[in-house]
Amino acid sequence: MTAWVHPSSVVDEGAQLGADTKVWHFSHVCSGARIGAACSLGQNVFVGNEVCIGDGVKIQNNVSVYDAVTLEDGVFVGPSAVFTNVHNPRATVVRKHEYRRTLVCQGATLGANCTIVCGSTIGAYAFVGAGAVITKDVPAHALMAGVPARQIGWMSRHGEKLALPVKAGDGAEATCPATGERYRLSGGHLTLIA
């Protein structure tokens, strides 16, 4: 199945849209953008030239994904979430050569109205709460909230909060209440137990 684009949207020549991707009302996809299969771009979404979006990504209404942002497979971007690409912008100073890359890893969730300051990596299956401001890298499976955001817990791949303190010691384990998957902390990193 080919991509579907609403007539009110603009997809510039050269942009790549994967099969079964949907681009909804009043959106703009620039010519250098690469978007995978089975994605959904909500109303009023902008995708810049130097953007790579994986498969199965959902971007809700009113989100601009600027140059130097990569969203891996299965990422969810809530309504009105904000990305940046220049750390210290000024209207009268050209800084396109200073873009800082942002990477949102597989399965991560970015809540409504959160802000991702450029240069950050959001780990796989991390969960950024609504309105949070990310100013540094986020570990995989971390639950982040606040301004600036701080880690307040751990999340399963299914998007359920785990009964595990942030600073639990090595070997601490928890079970996803929805799927029964088991997770273990080691060296400050949470991993799925095979």
Side-chain angles (χ1 to χ4, degrees), residues 34-47:
R34 295 176 318 214
I35 300 172
C39 293
S40 176
L41 278 62
Q43 180 174 301
N44 196 37
V45 169
F46 170 80
V47 180

Side-chain angles (χ1 to χ4, degrees), residues 80-170:
S80 301
V82 175
F83 292 98
T84 66
N85 57 13
V86 175
H87 186 72
N88 55 337
R90 291 286 196 201
T92 58
V93 179
V94 176
R95 291 201 163 110
K96 288 186 175 186
H97 62 286
E98 297 177 14
Y99 286 168
R100 294 186 184 182
R101 300 207 158 276
T102 296
L103 172 62
V104 183
C105 296
Q106 179 178 354
T109 292
L110 306 180
N113 291 303
C114 72
T115 298
I116 311 300
V117 175
C118 59
S120 301
T121 295
I122 312 298
Y125 302 104
F127 198 105
V128 176
V133 177
I134 299 297
T135 60
K136 59 186 178 181
D137 290 351
V138 172
H141 296 280
L143 172 59
M144 306 293 290
V147 179
R150 63 182 181 82
Q151 186 176 357
I152 62 169
W154 297 99
M155 299 293 280
S156 73
R157 294 190 308 174
H158 194 72
E160 299 288 336
K161 187 174 182 184
L162 299 171
L164 195 61
V166 173
K167 298 293 184 183
D170 279 0

